[in-house]
Amino acid sequence: MIPLSTIRDSFEGVIPSLIATTDSDGMPNITSLSHVYYVDERHVALSNQYFSKTAANVAANGLATVMVVDGYNGNQHILDLVFESSRSDGDVFDRVCAHLDVMSAEQGMDTIMKLRAVDIYRVEDCRLVMAANPLEQAPEKSASAVRDHLQWTEILTARLTAETDIEQMLDRALEGLAALFGYSHAMVLLPDTERMQLTTIASHGYDRYGIGSEIPFGQGTIGKAAATRLPVRISDMSRGRRYVQAVKAMSGMDEAIALPAISSPVSQLAVPMIAQRRLMGVLFVESDTAFAFRHKDEEALLVIARQLALALMLADPGRERGERPPAPTAPPAAAPTTDAGGVKIRYYRRDGSVFVDGDYLIRGVPGRLLKHCLDAYLATGQRDFTNREIRRDPGLLLPDFKDNLETRLILLRRRLEEKGGPIRLIRADRGRLRLDIDGVPHLTVIDGD
């Protein structure tokens, strides 16, 4: 039997698989599969969605035959399967469900393609039935197929452990993913469990940084990785669209589904950053080519994500023990009677949203952090702040345990920099910030929506 681990490219779902079964009278039935999932060396998982006839046949004799196709070279393998169990929860189910949800949700098909269960099959045999035509030019392997993942992971993790600053560590991680692994588009997002959102704190390779951009838990590849705390990898999003189109046709729905443009993402990989069972963020990479990320990329990214998560967990912005907050500077001048030189700021107490001169800036904990600094500046003229002092403000509603104040301050400062407005937070030293404003702030606090 050919080891399943040697044909992992056949389980990426780039080329559809086929499943054949027979009923009690020997009548065969063949249908397409959305995906065959590798579980271990002797087991695969099939998504149980539309296969009423297939399910009835398997219930009758417990047997199935599946053909899988290698997305790189076209090799075809036959798997002889024996049904073992059906699962509607657990890690395997969650992972399959997350993968299918990402493929279907963007097309508005998430309710139709809802996963009922995952069927686990024992693989009795795996054999090659057709090799790619040697006379045809085989597709070139991507950089993902030839790179030494273990070597690059060791190099990058060594670089990260040498960093003592969280902000620099995040930047070095994304730069290293691009330089070593070839992941030209990547980002790190932080969770906000209060609002069940993820917020971008660092990115690389995009035409804009997108600091402060948000995505809800459970939405898309990134949101699914956060909600399930499992990696979510899509090797060919166009393959998913083609499958959805086929499902619509079978359902009598003839609405056309456009294939992705060249500029659209085709491969995506989102990995949860978990330390001590806490979700610290999501590390995300994407590409406009199919098969850009394989299982080895997933394994490497998991190692890097866990190291970043642990670094965020251990970051202690309260290391400035024993220090005293700097003395306040002179109070600011009285607000002018006209708008000349003034900065209009609206703060919504409900969710911590901040608008500067009518433009949305940020919300949540970072928004409350900015209001804390503005309140102190307007009351006493204070411009210099320490993390330790900020943490004492009960109005920030920081969690009692491991509040990750440092990362929220990084997020706020980077968002202000990218916005390029009249307000800046300058990092004076570790654990110290200085507020810089062009003009006199006019702060309006709104209690309602």
Side-chain angles (χ1 to χ4, degrees), residues 133-306:
N133 189 342
L135 299 180
E136 297 180 358
Q137 181 65 40
E140 294 183 3
K141 290 191 175 183
S142 68
S144 172
V146 298
R147 68 174 62 101
D148 188 335
H149 292 75
L150 182 59
Q151 177 186 4
W152 298 139
T153 301
E154 189 278 329
I155 292 174
L156 183 53
T157 53
R159 292 178 184 177
L160 298 182
T161 54
E163 293 290 344
T164 58
D165 179 85
I166 290 297
E167 186 171 8
Q168 292 183 4
M169 179 179 292
L170 292 173
D171 290 337
R172 297 295 178 271
L174 299 187
E175 292 167 1
L177 290 177
L180 298 174
F181 290 86
Y183 305 156
S184 56
H185 297 85
M187 67 181 74
V188 175
L189 303 96
L190 299 177
D192 183 343
T193 54
E194 174 189 350
R195 298 182 298 112
M196 298 301 289
Q197 299 268 348
L198 290 152
T199 307
T200 305
I201 189 175
S203 65
H204 181 87
Y206 298 93
D207 55 2
R208 56 184 298 271
Y209 291 110
I211 304 302
S213 56
E214 300 175 328
I215 185 169
F217 277 35
Q219 181 174 310
T221 308
I222 296 171
K224 282 295 180 182
T228 62
R229 298 192 175 198
L230 294 170
V232 179
R233 176 162 51 94
I234 307 297
S235 294
D236 187 354
M237 298 185 76
S238 63
R239 155 74 176 94
R241 292 186 179 97
R242 291 194 294 271
Y243 180 72
V244 169
Q245 187 174 18
V247 171
K248 281 190 174 184
M250 288 188 294
S251 303
M253 303 170 62
D254 56 2
E255 179 182 355
I257 301 177
L259 293 175
I262 296 176
S263 58
S264 297
V266 180
S267 300
Q268 293 184 334
L269 172 57
V271 175
M273 298 161 50
I274 297 177
Q276 298 181 5
R277 300 182 180 179
R278 290 189 60 220
L279 178 68
M280 305 302 297
V282 171
L283 180 57
F284 174 74
V285 293
E286 61 180 343
S287 172
D288 58 2
T289 62
F291 245 132
F293 313 114
R294 303 164 67 193
H295 64 279
K296 289 184 178 180
D297 298 270
E298 181 178 317
E299 292 169 350
L301 218 62
L302 272 170
V303 174
I304 297 166
R306 287 166 181 162

Side-chain angles (χ1 to χ4, degrees), residues 2-4 6-11 15-18 65-80 125-133 136:
I2 297 175
L4 298 185
T6 64
I7 62 167
R8 289 290 293 266
D9 290 340
S10 298
F11 299 110
I15 299 177
S17 301
L18 295 175
T65 300
V66 168
M67 184 186 75
V68 294
V69 184
D70 189 308
Y72 270 120
N73 55 32
N75 287 348
Q76 300 176 8
H77 289 82
I78 290 292
L79 310 181
D80 293 332
D125 190 26
C126 172
R127 57 193 180 276
L128 177 70
V129 294
M130 181 178 292
N133 189 342
E136 297 180 358

Side-chain angles (χ1 to χ4, degrees), residues 289-338:
T289 62
F291 245 132
F293 313 114
R294 303 164 67 193
H295 64 279
K296 289 184 178 180
D297 298 270
E298 181 178 317
E299 292 169 350
L301 218 62
L302 272 170
V303 174
I304 297 166
R306 287 166 181 162
Q307 179 163 337
L308 290 175
L310 187 59
L312 293 177
M313 172 72 75
L314 297 177
D316 181 12
R319 289 176 182 171
E320 62 276 16
R321 294 183 178 88
E323 70 174 347
R324 296 180 181 273
T329 58
T337 56
T338 67

